[in-house]
Amino acid sequence: MSLARIYGMQTLLRTARLRKSVVKVCGASGPSALPWLESVSRRSILTGGGASHEKLAPKPVPKHDWNRAVSEAEKIVGYPTSFLSLRWLLSDEIANVALHLRKLVGSNHPLLRTAKMLIFNGKNNMQAWGLIVLLVSKAVGHAPTVPDLEQDKSAGVLQSQRGLAEITEMIRTAQLVHQGLVNLQSLDEAGNELGSDSDTIFGNKIALLSGDYLLGNACLQLAGLRNQPLIELISSAVRDLAESNFIGERDQQNNPLPSCPLDCPGMAAGGRDSEPEGAVNFGDLVNNTQPLSLEGVMGNPEREWALRHILGAGSLLGKSCQGAMMLAEQSEALQRRGYMFGKHLSLAWQACIDLEPFGCDHLPPGVRFSLVSAPVLFHLAHDPSLYEEIQKGRESVDNIDFVKVHAAVLKGPGPERTRILQKKHSEAALEVLNDLPPSDARTALQNIILAMQDI
């Protein structure tokens, strides 16, 4: 007798015993118990093991989760998400900075908020830029001409690509720390005695020195890669970061203010028409080491939003992904696709961040949001009368009634158009990934993009 036949007979015997035991217990239940009995019998025959195999039944597919997506991606490249954890925090220089930073506890210096954002790696913070660069590096692979000594075969990336990922993290962190500087005096009072603002002065010194330290180390490591085209590419990203702090109107603390909306023939009762195809492809069709043009941008909601955040974040991530493919000696066409992926991924993430304050009906007391976020810019194009409230912040954004602006934007098309914008850039990033061969790294990048939509 074959094993298959013996196994089938054992299964039928177990099913029969199960039927008898259930009938004894549920005899009083009558016909209502029959459907349940039939389902138990079918599961027993299919699984070959009866009730003990209920635990092996398929579970529903879990919802995409940001932390889970990042955690699984880290395992693929064999490197932690934040490079701050080991080399930086254990260095003497950063240890001294942390010691001095404790003196600011209790003050209202913005550097404390920046430090908290960097240390707390929650859903509101994308401390995964180096991880993105490594995943792109592994998903694309490298040319056969790359020497074996350059390869980290356990992680599937090059040593130079790992160094570039660390450089990207350092430049990004330096930018965030430098944004914690506070203007202590207005322009008409510049040069006068500062008085008793000792905590603020001290905080400015720490923000300036720590940011410069990180940026200086990033430049040193970049030069150590000994790749002139890569140095030029990443240097242009640092230039874009600096330029992002000077475009458009700003208050005396350098907080950005939206530009006055333009009158456009495409204006309709429901708001502006969608931007024409290719309208926000900054750096896609030209040499992206050249400065981006401001012509026809300010006052146009989608173009202004895109340019601000490409300069402030997208350029660095996009050019880092492009540089990773450059180090792998991939074709120029594929390098440009890498830039587009990083740029669109950054813009999709920024749209998620912009939507967060408008996820509730009422703005909590003391909470502020970016006045150049996509929902606000889209609403100004829909209802330019709100710009009168924005103009109150020319001296300081504290003069603006954020509750009023929040309530007005919620009633308009801004949040919905931002969701469309987020979907647009997510799909553009996924389109680039679809051109790559299937791999764990590509799947991890896809999961990260999908997890953004559930934040």
Side-chain angles (χ1 to χ4, degrees), residues 230-251:
L230 178 66
I231 293 174
E232 181 181 0
L233 183 68
I234 301 302
S235 297
S236 68
V238 177
R239 179 208 60 215
D240 292 340
L241 288 174
E243 186 178 346
S244 68
N245 293 311
F246 297 97
I247 63 170
E249 296 186 40
R250 293 175 177 262
D251 71 352

Side-chain angles (χ1 to χ4, degrees), residues 125-389:
N125 184 31
M126 189 176 182
Q127 288 299 302
W129 285 40
L131 177 64
I132 298 296
V133 175
L134 292 177
L135 288 171
V136 169
S137 302
K138 187 166 184 177
V140 174
H142 54 79
T145 55
V146 176
D148 290 342
L149 293 177
E150 279 289 314
Q151 302 176 25
D152 183 356
K153 295 185 179 180
S154 61
V157 298
L158 305 179
Q159 299 292 350
S160 56
Q161 290 173 330
R162 193 179 290 284
L164 177 60
E166 187 169 339
I167 290 167
T168 302
E169 285 276 4
M170 282 195 283
I171 294 175
R172 173 63 171 165
T173 306
Q175 166 76 357
L176 295 174
V177 171
H178 276 156
Q179 288 178 346
L181 286 168
V182 178
N183 292 331
L184 301 179
Q185 295 176 326
S186 59
L187 291 175
D188 53 353
E189 297 178 356
N192 296 333
E193 196 65 33
L194 292 175
S196 60
D197 293 329
S198 58
D199 286 342
T200 307
I201 297 172
F202 182 76
N204 278 358
K205 290 180 179 179
I206 295 299
L208 181 62
L209 292 174
S210 56
D212 286 352
Y213 169 77
L214 294 175
L215 188 58
N217 270 271
C219 294
L220 182 63
Q221 291 192 34
L222 181 61
L225 295 179
R226 299 181 181 276
N227 188 311
Q228 186 62 35
L230 178 66
I231 293 174
E232 181 181 0
L233 183 68
I234 301 302
S235 297
S236 68
V238 177
R239 179 208 60 215
D240 292 340
L241 288 174
E243 186 178 346
S244 68
N245 293 311
F246 297 97
I247 63 170
E249 296 186 40
R250 293 175 177 262
D251 71 352
Q252 293 185 359
Q253 289 297 330
N254 205 38
N255 294 306
L257 297 171
S259 301
C260 182
L262 298 174
D263 292 328
C264 179
M267 188 78 171
R272 286 182 187 266
D273 293 336
S274 299
E275 300 294 330
E277 188 69 24
V280 295
N281 289 339
F282 296 110
D284 289 359
L285 306 176
V286 296
N287 180 5
N288 60 357
T289 61
Q290 299 299 315
L292 301 181
S293 174
L294 296 176
E295 183 179 358
V297 171
M298 309 310 289
N300 188 318
E302 185 172 352
R303 288 176 62 82
E304 178 178 343
W305 176 84
L307 181 64
R308 284 181 182 274
H309 296 294
I310 289 174
L311 289 174
S315 175
L316 177 61
L317 185 58
K319 292 178 181 179
S320 295
C321 294
Q322 179 181 350
M325 297 186 182
M326 184 184 298
L327 291 171
E329 300 181 6
Q330 298 290 353
S331 65
E332 292 187 3
L334 191 55
Q335 292 176 27
R336 180 52 56 87
R337 297 286 284 171
Y339 167 78
M340 294 174 62
F341 171 77
K343 186 196 75 169
H344 287 297
L345 176 61
S346 176
L347 292 179
W349 174 252
Q350 185 62 47
C352 288
I353 295 176
D354 289 353
L355 274 171
E356 188 175 356
F358 300 95
C360 54
D361 296 334
H362 303 284
L363 189 68
V367 174
R368 298 194 316 186
F369 50 87
S370 174
L371 295 171
V372 293
S373 62
V376 176
L377 292 176
F378 281 132
H379 187 85
L380 288 174
H382 168 73
D383 180 17
S385 64
L386 186 64
Y387 191 70
E388 296 179 4
E389 183 66 30

